[in-house]
Amino acid sequence: MISQTLRFSLQGRDFNMMWVAGCLATEGRIAEIYNLRAFDAAASAMMGIQTAGNAYSYPPHALFIAMPFAYLPLGLAFASWNVLTLGLFLYAARFHLPERLWLAGCAPASVICLSFGQYGLLTSALFLLAFRRSVLGGSGADD
């Protein structure tokens, strides 16, 4: 039990809450996502351990990102999230660090985002792409 709790606390913590929220949303249990007690109870049940009061702290429109991952088992969803967000981040960073792209992937912030499964690589990629006037970055201009 202690090793499971420690693993939950350190690896994938943010992603785990995103995955739980995605699962609840796909089951039509939207109201539970923003009710702290209900969400914590659901997270504890889904994770099989006491989650100690964690919450899904993102706005409702972020559920559209979380929901597809709910259709995968947690481990595969976490790995997929990291591959997709790191890939998009490296794609965006290649315009800014073409000869030292590995630096972007090894930066402490990147490692933290991968460890916890945070949205940071996704938002950083969109930010970098916006400077390229990329459609992916939201500016609507050609890439």
Side-chain angles (χ1 to χ4, degrees):
M1 180 67 158
I2 292 173
S3 65
Q4 283 182 322
T5 303
L6 182 61
R7 194 181 102 239
F8 171 78
S9 297
L10 298 177
Q11 183 179 5
R13 180 177 172 177
D14 291 1
F15 181 81
N16 292 346
M17 295 303 99
M18 181 177 114
W19 182 79
V20 169
C23 289
L24 292 173
T26 60
E27 294 171 5
R29 298 165 57 187
I30 304 290
E32 292 177 52
I33 296 170
Y34 296 102
N35 177 316
L36 293 176
R37 287 189 185 141
F39 185 82
D40 189 47
S44 293
M46 288 181 190
M47 302 301 299
I49 58 171
Q50 183 61 37
T51 59
N54 288 293
Y56 183 71
S57 58
Y58 300 100
H61 60 274
L63 289 170
F64 291 111
I65 297 169
M67 288 172 66
F69 294 95
Y71 293 103
L72 299 172
L74 180 58
L76 181 58
F78 181 61
S80 299
W81 171 258
N82 279 338
V83 167
L84 289 170
T85 58
L86 180 62
L88 184 61
F89 177 66
L90 293 176
Y91 170 78
R94 74 178 168 73
F95 298 113
H96 304 279
L97 296 169
E99 295 177 19
R100 293 193 176 98
L101 188 58
W102 63 273
L103 285 173
C106 294
S110 297
V111 173
I112 289 170
C113 286
L114 291 170
S115 297
F116 289 94
Q118 296 176 335
Y119 278 88
L121 290 174
L122 175 64
T123 55
S124 295
L126 295 175
F127 182 75
L128 290 173
L129 288 170
F131 281 105
R132 289 280 306 162
R133 299 183 49 85
S134 169
V135 172
L136 285 174
S139 69
D142 291 334
D143 190 15

